[in-house]
Amino acid sequence: TEIYTLSLHDALPISLLAVLPAAAQTRDFSFQVPTRTEVVAELRLASPGSDWAAAGREAAMATVTLDNSERQQVMVFGGPDERAYPVFLGELAPGAHTLRIERDARFSAQGSGLAIAGARFQPLASTDPYALAVAHAPVLLARADTIGQFTDVPLLAYYTRGRDAAGPWLEYTVIFSNEDGGTSTRDLMARWGRTTDVEYIYRVWLNARGEPLKTLIQTREHRDVPYEGQRFGRHPILVPVTDNNMVEPAPPGAAPIRYQLAPVFADLSAGSRELVMDQHPVTYQVSAKELQREAKLRPAASFDGENIADPRLYLVVEMKVESKNAAVQVLLRRRNSTRWRGSALGIGKDFIERSGWARTAMELPPGTKVSEIAEIGAQCLSRRDLERQPVPKNGRCHLESFGKVFFLGQDYSPQPPLPLPPLPAGGWTLNVGEMASMPLP
């Protein structure tokens, strides 16, 4: 078995791509499987001529065919840089198999080619914990109104694991390049610190044999319901049905595009879900390019409805918070200024009411350096009149700690985090209407 690390951010210099044959838009790969098992394939692909920001040459779509039978698709969103696109092939019988990769003209942008550099295959031993995670990973069909539009595409899948009274569980989350409805671009930055759509889509509790004991999917209006649809082996087959990528069981023939993203493991015990994006900066790159193409960007320091400035002008702030009948926003003051900037932009619903690790992002003037930030603070707001049902006017916010605080670089990769002094012992506990701050060195 060939062992390798699944990754989405490792790119080769463009100069190396010149050696790829221009006609390498169809290739066959043969491989052996020693025993019946789940198999992951790491496909090394590039899309010469592509730019996710440019209409008409956004990306190539690769169709991947296993043994002239099972088909899935891979959106080569990374442009002309060669990258790894890990997919699962399902549970395969022992013996010889063939995988064909070819450009699919139906779903590729006209100006986008496909260069196929190689493929590596990893049959997963039954003793490998990753085998169980792959065996239950969801198949995801394309949302109907995204086909041919190069919008809201799944970029990455990750899984977490845990245990509760019902037993051990695996939870699968997909990072989409954006969402066309649900939360506006401006609100995404204020409430989440990014413009991707990060959605848990499937959770499964397992019995002692590793079989589904109990399941949930996240469907319309963010409701959790049991999964009762068809399966590919043990893989549920889901399709997004809302503009913010809530899912339902996929009916037969629901969509001609089928994604089988091999999930990466995420340990989120010490940070927010967006840590996965930090580890795979291509997610920031593609989401920013999609904003550009869809005219969701505006000039710096201006106002244009729900649009935002270049994401590289925003300081991303991560924090661990616990709120009761209240919500919190982050505040910043630059050196030699008496003016504070709030992450919620003066909008009550853009305060962060959820507890746990969370992120927000704040626009700063072009050219702002980390050293120019003089003070950071937090403010607590009552949720009264912001909820559907009345809540008490009084409430409390407890900010336990700050996590990563950083800008995106020119290539949209997270830059080294701002060195923050620790909060006082016990953090900040704020009643609604209160604010706390600390100077930075």
Side-chain angles (χ1 to χ4, degrees):
T1 298
E2 188 171 19
I3 303 300
Y4 60 92
T5 300
L6 298 176
S7 62
L8 287 178
H9 64 278
D10 48 334
L12 293 179
I14 293 177
S15 59
L16 293 184
L17 297 177
V19 303
L20 294 173
Q25 301 199 73
T26 301
R27 286 186 67 180
D28 290 344
F29 298 90
S30 297
F31 63 100
Q32 293 282 335
V33 175
T35 184
R36 177 173 289 276
T37 187
E38 291 279 338
V39 177
V40 168
E42 183 187 73
L43 312 180
R44 304 292 308 189
L45 306 173
S47 185
S50 290
D51 181 349
W52 194 259
R57 54 187 187 94
E58 295 92 342
M61 180 75 84
T63 286
V64 179
T65 306
L66 176 67
D67 297 333
N68 294 314
S69 178
E70 297 290 345
R71 287 180 173 81
Q72 61 174 288
Q73 281 70 39
V74 176
M75 182 73 80
V76 189
F77 47 74
D81 293 338
E82 180 194 320
R83 295 183 182 276
Y85 293 83
V87 300
F88 62 84
L89 304 181
E91 187 178 68
L92 304 188
H97 296 272
T98 301
L99 193 76
R100 167 164 287 192
I101 307 172
E102 56 191 330
R103 181 180 183 274
D104 194 326
R106 298 172 301 165
F107 307 120
S108 296
Q110 185 174 0
S112 297
L114 177 66
I116 306 164
R120 292 192 291 176
F121 302 91
Q122 184 183 15
L124 299 171
S126 59
T127 55
D128 186 342
Y130 187 50
L132 198 60
V134 169
H136 293 276
V139 173
L140 189 67
L141 305 189
R143 202 178 79 209
D145 62 355
T146 67
I147 296 173
Q149 302 303 309
F150 304 98
T151 185
D152 294 17
V153 298
L155 301 176
L156 174 70
Y158 71 83
Y159 72 97
T160 56
R161 51 183 174 232
R163 177 183 291 271
D164 60 18
W169 51 259
L170 296 168
E171 183 175 284
Y172 298 86
T173 297
V174 173
I175 300 177
F176 296 87
S177 57
N178 191 220
E179 61 175 88
D180 286 337
T183 305
S184 75
T185 306
R186 182 179 66 177
D187 295 345
L188 281 170
M189 290 298 276
R191 292 179 52 77
W192 301 97
R194 36 78 181 172
T195 63
T196 55
D197 184 25
V198 183
E199 300 291 354
Y200 126 74
I201 61 171
Y202 180 61
R203 178 182 280 202
V204 57
W205 285 258
L206 305 174
N207 63 20
R209 297 185 299 278
E211 299 167 344
L213 181 66
K214 173 185 171 183
T215 61
L216 288 175
I217 61 173
Q218 184 180 201
T219 191
R220 299 173 191 267
E221 299 180 351
H222 296 279
R223 292 181 298 113
D224 290 341
V225 301
Y227 178 74
E228 297 175 346
Q230 60 178 327
R231 292 181 182 273
F232 167 59
R234 287 176 284 182
H235 306 274
I237 305 177
L238 302 171
V239 60
V241 290
T242 68
D243 285 348
N244 60 339
N245 299 305
M246 301 294 98
V247 297
E248 287 183 354
I257 296 176
R258 174 186 177 110
Y259 299 110
Q260 294 180 192
L261 305 180
V264 297
F265 174 65
D267 179 2
L268 305 180
S269 59
S272 64
R273 300 186 299 174
E274 291 74 25
L275 287 175
V276 183
M277 292 184 60
D278 299 347
Q279 296 161 2
H280 303 279
V282 69
T283 55
Y284 289 107
Q285 297 162 10
V286 174
S287 62
K289 286 174 176 286
E290 188 163 318
L291 296 179
Q292 180 181 340
R293 175 163 43 86
E294 295 184 348
K296 294 180 178 179
L297 298 179
R298 55 162 174 75
S302 64
F303 178 80
D304 183 10
E306 302 303 313
N307 291 348
I308 65 167
D310 186 322
R312 292 169 292 192
L313 298 179
Y314 288 75
L315 185 72
V316 178
V317 180
E318 183 178 60
M319 58 186 170
K320 189 174 185 181
V321 64
E322 182 178 354
S323 297
K324 182 177 181 181
N325 300 326
V328 67
Q329 76 162 335
V330 173
L331 299 159
L332 288 179
R333 185 180 65 80
R334 298 171 68 209
R335 298 192 190 280
N336 303 317
S337 175
T338 59
R339 198 169 285 191
W340 288 85
R341 296 170 182 261
S343 61
L345 302 174
I347 302 172
K349 69 182 181 68
D350 281 343
F351 278 64
I352 297 171
E353 81 282 0
R354 63 191 182 277
S355 294
W357 283 103
R359 282 191 184 184
T360 185
M362 308 172 67
E363 182 186 354
L364 293 172
T368 299
K369 297 179 174 57
V370 166
S371 59
E372 295 177 38
I373 300 171
E375 204 165 354
I376 188 168
Q379 180 186 17
C380 189
L381 176 77
S382 173
R383 294 298 299 169
R384 182 67 176 260
D385 300 328
L386 296 176
E387 305 285 359
R388 292 181 180 179
Q389 299 295 325
V391 298
K393 289 183 178 180
N394 61 320
R396 181 170 293 179
C397 306
H398 176 68
L399 199 151
E400 180 179 318
S401 63
F402 284 106
K404 295 175 68 176
V405 178
F406 61 91
F407 285 106
L408 297 178
Q410 285 303 303
D411 64 352
Y412 298 97
S413 297
Q415 298 301 287
L418 178 66
L420 294 180
L423 292 179
W428 289 333
T429 298
L430 306 173
N431 294 317
V432 297
E434 292 184 336
M435 169 187 166
S437 68
M438 66 177 178
L440 303 186

